[in-house]
């Protein structure tokens, strides 16, 4: 009995010590949490000021642009004078640039310190569209790129026979015809490297003229061209007299005729 009585004060002492230790631990947690909250508050107000020197946009790095001018790109970005790498929204800047007809794709990113990085993939001009008012660039999708000088279109296949207004307005059927013309030009350019003219005026056929040979083709050019390549050695062995015409509008035959 006396033994149990002697343990009671010890238990009370241990309980008291544990209570004191728990209060001290809780106090430390509160102190740490308070310090963390205060650090967050101070950081929220002071960090932007402390980092402003190396986040303020002082330079715009532009890569991939061959036809678009730097000033034109900066104008589209329309950055405010106090813009920083934290305040600009890359997605919105990309949307502004994506609306330009020359831009196929664009990426805007941050490059510390002080630099906004713009990477542009431009549409490639693959043909010159001839119309009454001059020439326009077309890309491989038949998209009109811009009005250009005579020098800039030198060497490109020339496409004609479409409505410039319909093409500029993005009319689907006109765009499809332009795309077909570009496809014909691409196929023939693999074989003929001189001046190439693609006439799209007739909706039932495409007339492709090289220096000595005129091709009559349609929307199945990529299939019928293989027929021509298979027969080309035989055709050349016959020594056709230039200028001559090759009709590839049929799926089962290739017609060669003298051009008057």
């Amino acid at each position: 009995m006396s033994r149990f009585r002697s343990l009671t004060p010890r238990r009370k002492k241990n309980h008291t010590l544990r209570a004191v230790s728990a209060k001290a631990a809780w106090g430390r947690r509160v102190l740490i949490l308070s310090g963390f909250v205060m650090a967050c508050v101070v950081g929220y107000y002071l960090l932007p000021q402390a980092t402003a020197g190396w986040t303020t946009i002082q330079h715009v790095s532009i890569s991939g642009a061959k036809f678009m001018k730097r000033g034109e790109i900066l104008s589209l970005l329309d950055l405010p004078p106090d813009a920083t790498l934290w305040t600009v929204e890359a997605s919105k800047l990309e949307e502004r640039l994506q609306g330009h007809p020359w831009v196929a794709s664009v990426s805007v990113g941050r490059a510390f310190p002080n630099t906004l990085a713009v990477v542009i993939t431009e549409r490639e001009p693959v043909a010159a569209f001839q119309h009454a008012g001059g020439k326009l660039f077309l890309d491989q999708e038949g998209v009109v790129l811009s009005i250009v000088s005579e020098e800039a279109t030198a060497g490109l296949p020339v496409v004609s026979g479409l409505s410039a207004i319909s093409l500029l307005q993005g009319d689907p059927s006109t765009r499809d015809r332009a795309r077909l013309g570009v496809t014909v030009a691409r196929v023939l350019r693999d074989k003929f490297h001189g001046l190439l003219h693609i006439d799209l005026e007739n909706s039932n056929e495409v007339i492709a003229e090289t220096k000595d040979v005129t091709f009559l083709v349609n929307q199945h050019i990529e299939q019928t061209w293989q027929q021509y390549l298979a027969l080309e050695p035989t055709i050349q062995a016959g020594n056709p007299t230039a200028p001559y015409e090759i009709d590839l509008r049929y799926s089962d035959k290739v017609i060669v005729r003298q051009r008057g």
Side-chain angles (χ1 to χ4, degrees):
M1 184 71 176
S2 60
R3 181 181 177 185
F4 287 110
R5 287 178 181 174
S6 63
L7 290 176
T8 300
R10 188 182 303 172
R11 288 176 179 174
K12 289 182 178 180
K13 181 179 180 181
N14 290 340
H15 178 74
T16 302
L17 290 174
R18 285 197 295 269
V20 171
S21 178
K23 288 182 180 179
W26 176 251
R28 286 195 298 271
R29 293 192 189 99
V30 171
L31 184 62
I32 292 172
L33 181 61
S34 300
F36 177 75
V37 171
M38 182 170 292
C40 290
V41 172
V42 171
Y44 178 81
Y45 288 102
L46 297 184
L47 185 61
Q49 299 177 26
T51 61
W54 54 281
T55 62
T56 301
I57 297 176
Q58 299 177 7
H59 177 65
V60 178
S61 170
I62 300 173
S63 59
K66 296 181 292 185
F67 297 97
M68 297 177 68
K69 304 299 183 184
R70 179 178 177 83
E72 184 178 18
I73 296 171
L74 293 177
S75 178
L76 289 170
L77 290 172
D78 193 23
L79 297 172
D82 58 346
T84 73
L85 297 177
W86 298 123
T87 59
V88 296
E89 293 186 43
S91 59
K92 288 187 176 180
L93 297 180
E94 290 170 353
E95 286 178 9
R96 294 175 189 174
L97 292 173
Q98 196 70 56
H100 193 282
W102 277 96
V103 177
S105 64
V106 61
S107 174
V108 176
R110 302 170 178 86
F112 294 95
N114 310 114
T115 301
L116 187 72
V118 180
V119 180
I120 293 175
T121 300
E122 290 182 329
R123 296 183 182 276
E124 285 288 335
V126 296
F129 169 55
Q130 179 71 59
H131 63 104
K135 288 182 180 178
L136 302 171
F137 274 146
L138 296 177
D139 79 341
Q140 61 183 359
E141 295 299 320
V143 175
V144 177
L145 301 181
S146 67
I147 299 174
V148 294
S149 65
E150 188 73 25
E151 294 78 13
T153 60
L156 288 179
V158 176
V159 176
S160 65
L162 299 175
S163 166
I165 294 176
S166 297
L167 194 57
L168 288 167
Q169 290 177 343
D171 175 66
S173 61
T174 306
R175 175 76 62 79
D176 288 343
R177 288 290 291 173
R179 189 181 296 114
L180 174 59
V182 168
T183 299
V184 173
R186 174 180 54 79
V187 170
L188 267 64
R189 281 296 284 261
D190 290 340
K191 197 74 178 178
F192 301 92
H193 302 290
L195 183 63
L196 178 61
H197 177 241
I198 311 295
D199 186 352
L200 299 169
E201 185 173 6
N202 190 328
S203 60
N204 297 317
E205 66 182 15
V206 177
I207 302 174
E209 294 181 302
T210 68
K211 180 181 178 182
D212 297 319
V213 187
T214 296
F215 289 89
L216 302 180
V217 300
N218 55 24
Q219 68 271 22
H220 303 296
I221 174 64
E222 293 183 288
Q223 288 77 34
T224 56
W225 184 249
Q226 298 305 314
Q227 292 181 171
Y228 166 74
L229 293 179
L231 293 173
E232 186 182 39
T234 303
I235 294 172
Q236 295 302 321
N239 293 317
T241 303
Y244 59 97
E245 186 175 275
I246 297 179
D247 195 338
L248 301 179
R249 294 173 295 175
Y250 306 97
S251 61
D252 58 345
K253 58 186 175 182
V254 175
I255 300 174
V256 181
R257 62 174 70 94
Q258 194 70 32
R259 191 170 71 190

